[in-house]
């Protein structure tokens, strides 16, 4: 990173490859992704320390795969505030938490076998601490706290971000800028990116409190850490409790009447009704927010991108928010690095919006808002007081299908222009889980006969997995990658069992561990054309020689 100084010695402009505006979890994840690829970034973050509000706690298996790649998986797991024996599952209850009607909900463990890491649960501030520590280890990442980005401007060559730190103002000049600065993003507004909002016209409260007695009351639900309450008066919206630790701390979200404030809110009655019993508690925080779903109408404007809550925001239903943001960072990070390092053409960056925006639109419509609609229909149609038998039958049916949405939530890029997915496919959050290597889908792990897993061999760049000797095709891929200067790792695993598991002899895996192309041998292929499409490989480019063959 370079700094230009005025005559007085005060820094006026600092230069880098990517200016990351907002150093929350998504911004830091992006900086780590870039820094590990040799890309220089400057991260500006308003806060000196992470917010103490325990949000964004449920981390999916896919997110833990990111953390494995970013070198923080062990640190994150060591920061867990709920002891493993306490469990991190969920439960849905009717009427109150102590109701006789309940079923297990959102059991992420049912898809564990399709990922190379297990899921985790801990407060967002602990995740941020691990990311901050990792970012500070990387020489290509400069992390600035108590710095607020107040404006940006761009031209065809670069972006300049004006940063305020107290009374001092400075500028960061970068080749690209990424706004990770939340739902009220200065970056998004400065770049002229509009957003579409679906307003549910519900005022929500957020409470953080301590209560050992509530933990004891909920021994009825062993192994559970988050609790969803359905009640007819909510009309499909949830009262939602979550453990922050295994002993006393909780957070709580729920819709409240319009006009509710900290001064007129009867918190005790509200919490006791939701639980179904009185209990002692100590309030630590109260806040209010409006339930809405928002999505940027584009994730890019020239040299400026948005990610995380700057690109999309929604109510905390199903723990999609922080995990979706991390996937943004991984998707955009490898593409920015590929372009900045000269491996890929600038057109690769167009696929960030092409792939990620439809996935969030699907997440919002097919999962979050669908939950609300389905719960509303259930609550309006079934009532144990009106028809006890019909209610119980429907409740049992809902419980038996509670895992279905976990299997169906499988973000994929099958319709992307840079993967060889089936004709007519679309990028979507809805899919399924399979071991087969399908273009546009996440690569499932596979144990190796000698120990370890296929994921241990992938690396950070493109990888060509060979499960059956393909001879000339493999050589052509490696030669084509060398001509383009594209880092491509050849992983030879000649194994009938692996070929059958993945349903392919050759699999081209992207740096974010999605499958770009797969074939089961026999038919001829065009490796140069495949790399030119999947990686936007720069065959006219830099003269690099970066093919990797272990």
């Amino acid at each position: 990173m370079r700094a230009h100084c005025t005559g007085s010695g005060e820094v006026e402009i600092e230069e880098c490859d990517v200016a990351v505006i907002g150093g929350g979890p998504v911004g830091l994840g992006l900086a780590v992704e870039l820094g590990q690829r040799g890309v220089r970034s400057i991260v500006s973050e308003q806060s000196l320390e992470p917010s103490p509000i325990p949000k964004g706690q449920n981390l999916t298996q896919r997110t833990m795969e990111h953390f494995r790649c970013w070198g923080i998986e062990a640190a994150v797991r060591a920061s867990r505030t709920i002891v493993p024996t306490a469990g991190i599952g969920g439960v849905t209850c009717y009427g109150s938490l102590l109701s006789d009607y309940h079923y297990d909900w959102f059991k992420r463990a049912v898809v564990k076998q399709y990922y190379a890491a297990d899921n985790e649960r801990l407060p967002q501030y602990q995740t941020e601490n691990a990311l901050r520590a990792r970012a500070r280890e990387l020489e290509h990442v400069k992390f600035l706290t108590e710095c607020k980005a107040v404006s940006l401007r761009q031209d065809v060559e670069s972006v300049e971000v004006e940063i305020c730190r107290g009374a001092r103002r400075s500028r960061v000049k970068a080749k690209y800028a990424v706004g990770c600065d939340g739902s009220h993003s200065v970056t998004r507004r400065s770049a002229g990116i509009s957003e579409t909002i679906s307003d549910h016209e519900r005022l929500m409260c957020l409470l953080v409190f301590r209560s050992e007695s509530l933990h004891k009351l909920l021994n009825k639900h062993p192994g559970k850490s988050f609790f969803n309450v359905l009640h007819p008066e909510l009309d499909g919206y949830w009262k939602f409790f979550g453990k922050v630790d295994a002993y006393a701390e909780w957070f709580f979200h729920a819709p409240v009447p319009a006009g509710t404030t900290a001064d007129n809110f009867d918190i005790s009655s509200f919490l006791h009704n939701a639980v179904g019993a009185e209990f002692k508690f100590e309030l630590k925080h109260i806040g209010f927010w409006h339930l809405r779903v928002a999505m940027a109408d584009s994730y890019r404007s020239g040299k400026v991108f948005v990610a995380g809550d700057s690109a999309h925001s929604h109510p905390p239903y199903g723990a999609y928010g922080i995990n979706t943001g991390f996937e943004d960072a991984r998707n955009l990070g490898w593409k920015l690095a590929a372009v900045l390092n000269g491996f890929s053409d600038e057109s690769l960056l167009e696929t960030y919006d092409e792939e990620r925006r439809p996935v969030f639109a699907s997440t919002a419509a097919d999962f979050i808002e669908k939950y609300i609609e389905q719960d509303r229909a259930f609550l309006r149609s079934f009532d144990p007081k009106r028809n006890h038998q019909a209610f119980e039958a429907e409740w049992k049916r809902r419980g038996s299908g509670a895992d279905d949405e976990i299997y169906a939530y499988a973000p994929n890029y099958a319709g992307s222009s840079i993967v060889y997915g089936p004709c007519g496919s679309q990028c979507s959050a809805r899919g399924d889980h399979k071991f087969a290597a399908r273009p546009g889908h996440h690569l499932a792990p596979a144990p190796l006969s000698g120990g370890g897993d296929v994921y241990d061999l992938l690396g950070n760049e493109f990888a060509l997995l060979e499960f059956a000797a393909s001879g000339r095709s493999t050589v052509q891929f490696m030669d084509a990658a060398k001509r383009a200067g594209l880092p491509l790792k050849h992983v030879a695993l000649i194994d009938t069992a692996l070929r059958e598991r993945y349903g392919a002899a050759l699999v081209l895996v992207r740096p974010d561990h999605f499958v770009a192309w797969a074939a089961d041998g026999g038919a001829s292929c065009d490796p140069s054309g495949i790399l030119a499409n999947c990686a936007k490989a720069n065959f006219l480019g830099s003269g690099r020689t970066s093919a990797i063959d272990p």
Side-chain angles (χ1 to χ4, degrees):
M1 294 155 193
R2 294 180 296 170
H4 298 290
C5 301
T6 64
S8 63
E10 182 181 353
V11 173
E12 183 180 56
I13 300 177
E14 194 160 7
E15 293 186 4
C16 64
D17 295 319
V18 180
V20 181
I21 303 167
V26 175
L28 287 168
L30 176 62
V32 170
E33 176 78 12
L34 293 170
Q36 291 185 161
R37 298 177 183 280
V39 174
R40 303 166 303 152
S41 68
I42 295 176
V43 185
S44 56
E45 166 56 31
Q46 294 186 56
S47 303
L48 178 62
E49 300 292 342
S51 167
I53 304 302
K55 55 187 177 179
Q57 295 199 109
N58 275 324
L59 302 175
T60 64
Q61 290 99 337
R62 175 60 179 158
T63 286
M64 295 307 296
E65 286 183 352
H66 299 327
F67 290 177
R68 175 178 173 174
C69 292
W70 294 341
I72 64 167
E73 181 186 5
V76 167
R77 295 200 191 279
S79 301
R80 181 177 182 170
T81 54
I82 297 178
V83 294
T85 54
I88 55 174
V91 64
T92 291
C93 306
Y94 178 83
S96 70
L97 292 188
L98 298 180
S99 161
D100 290 333
Y101 296 107
H102 54 84
Y103 56 77
D104 289 354
W105 177 74
F106 231 66
K107 297 181 291 183
R108 293 197 187 277
V110 301
V111 295
K112 177 181 177 180
Q113 62 185 326
Y114 299 101
Y115 295 89
D118 202 358
N119 64 310
E120 191 54 271
R121 179 178 172 84
L122 70 163
Q124 182 174 304
Y125 50 78
Q126 297 285 46
T127 301
E128 285 190 55
N129 283 332
L131 282 163
R132 285 185 176 212
R134 179 64 179 135
R136 287 172 172 139
E137 292 175 349
L138 297 172
E139 65 173 314
H140 295 295
V141 179
K142 185 171 185 178
F143 180 43
L144 306 175
T145 57
E146 298 182 289
C147 289
K148 181 179 181 180
V150 293
S151 67
L152 64 82
R153 62 177 182 270
Q154 63 173 310
D155 56 32
V156 295
E157 298 294 332
S158 63
V159 184
E160 275 197 13
V161 183
E162 185 175 7
I163 294 175
C164 176
R165 189 171 194 175
R168 181 183 177 187
R169 290 181 178 248
S170 60
R171 286 178 287 169
V172 173
K173 184 176 182 180
K175 296 173 184 175
Y176 299 97
V178 184
C180 305
D181 48 343
S183 58
H184 301 291
S185 172
V186 169
T187 309
R188 188 184 63 241
R189 293 197 300 271
S190 296
I193 299 174
S194 59
E195 63 176 345
T196 297
I197 297 173
S198 172
D199 197 332
H200 286 246
E201 299 181 346
R202 291 292 188 281
L203 179 65
M204 305 289 291
C205 73
L206 165 61
L207 306 177
V208 181
F209 62 92
R210 293 186 62 81
S211 176
E212 293 183 16
S213 60
L214 181 55
H215 276 260
K216 294 176 182 177
L217 280 171
L218 291 177
N219 285 337
K220 175 177 181 176
H221 301 297
K224 308 304 178 189
S225 291
F226 51 104
F227 308 83
N228 170 30
V229 179
L230 300 182
H231 195 287
E233 70 182 17
L234 302 178
D235 200 30
Y237 299 97
W238 299 349
K239 293 178 182 176
F240 185 84
F241 289 82
K243 291 181 179 180
V244 180
D245 59 32
Y247 310 103
E249 191 163 345
W250 293 85
F251 74 87
F252 174 73
H253 289 284
V256 294
T260 300
T261 66
D263 295 327
N264 64 19
F265 190 17
D266 185 352
I267 297 173
S268 294
S269 295
F270 200 81
L271 284 175
H272 294 163
N273 287 336
V275 172
E278 294 187 1
F279 60 94
K280 295 180 180 179
F281 68 91
E282 175 191 352
L283 185 67
K284 295 182 64 178
H285 171 83
I286 180 170
F288 298 93
W289 50 279
H290 291 277
L291 193 154
R292 65 177 200 166
V293 175
M295 183 172 70
D297 295 323
S298 173
Y299 283 10
R300 180 187 187 186
S301 175
K303 297 282 186 179
V304 180
F305 301 82
V306 288
D309 286 353
S310 300
H312 46 76
S313 59
H314 57 77
Y317 284 16
Y320 294 111
I322 191 171
N323 298 294
T324 300
F326 283 132
E327 196 69 65
D328 292 344
R330 191 81 183 279
N331 185 290
L332 179 57
W334 78 262
K335 293 173 180 177
L336 281 170
V339 172
L340 287 164
N341 288 327
F343 308 141
S344 298
D345 186 83
E346 173 86 14
S347 62
L348 180 66
L349 300 179
E350 292 298 323
T351 67
Y352 169 61
D353 179 279
E354 178 192 351
E355 292 183 341
R356 294 303 301 151
R357 203 156 57 90
V359 167
F360 176 76
S362 172
T363 299
D366 296 335
F367 294 91
I368 298 168
E369 292 185 308
K370 184 181 176 182
Y371 291 154
I372 296 171
E373 294 164 2
Q374 289 179 335
D375 289 343
R376 177 179 295 141
F378 164 73
L379 292 167
R380 289 178 178 180
S381 301
F382 298 92
D383 186 334
K385 296 178 181 178
R386 291 199 311 262
N387 189 328
H388 186 267
Q389 186 175 3
F391 174 87
E392 287 201 331
E394 181 62 15
W395 186 258
K396 183 177 181 180
R397 187 199 67 78
R398 286 170 60 91
S400 66
D403 295 338
D404 293 349
E405 295 299 86
I406 294 295
Y407 279 107
Y409 182 70
N412 67 86
Y413 311 131
S416 169
S417 63
I418 57 170
V419 304
Y420 284 80
C423 291
S425 297
Q426 296 181 333
C427 299
S428 175
R430 179 166 286 280
D432 55 11
H433 286 80
K434 293 182 179 179
F435 291 117
R438 297 171 293 166
H441 291 260
H442 164 265
L443 181 77
L448 301 176
S449 58
D453 189 274
V454 168
Y455 262 69
D456 299 330
L457 306 177
L458 290 178
N460 290 324
E461 302 296 346
F462 276 87
L464 182 68
L465 305 182
E466 184 180 18
F467 301 123
S470 59
R472 184 169 174 76
S473 293
T474 301
V475 173
Q476 288 176 329
F477 265 106
M478 301 312 294
D479 286 347
K482 188 173 183 179
R483 290 198 307 275
L486 179 74
L488 175 63
K489 185 176 185 180
H490 175 212
V491 181
L493 294 168
I494 311 303
D495 187 310
T496 301
L498 289 175
R499 177 176 181 170
E500 291 178 352
R501 181 183 180 92
Y502 285 118
L506 283 177
V507 179
L508 181 65
V509 184
R510 303 184 343 174
D512 57 357
H513 297 163
F514 277 76
V515 176
W517 170 88
D520 197 29
S524 61
C525 63
D526 174 15
S528 294
I530 291 169
L531 293 178
N533 184 66
C534 295
K536 299 298 182 187
N538 191 356
F539 284 96
L540 301 176
S542 59
R544 295 174 184 262
T545 54
S546 300
I548 303 169
D549 195 341

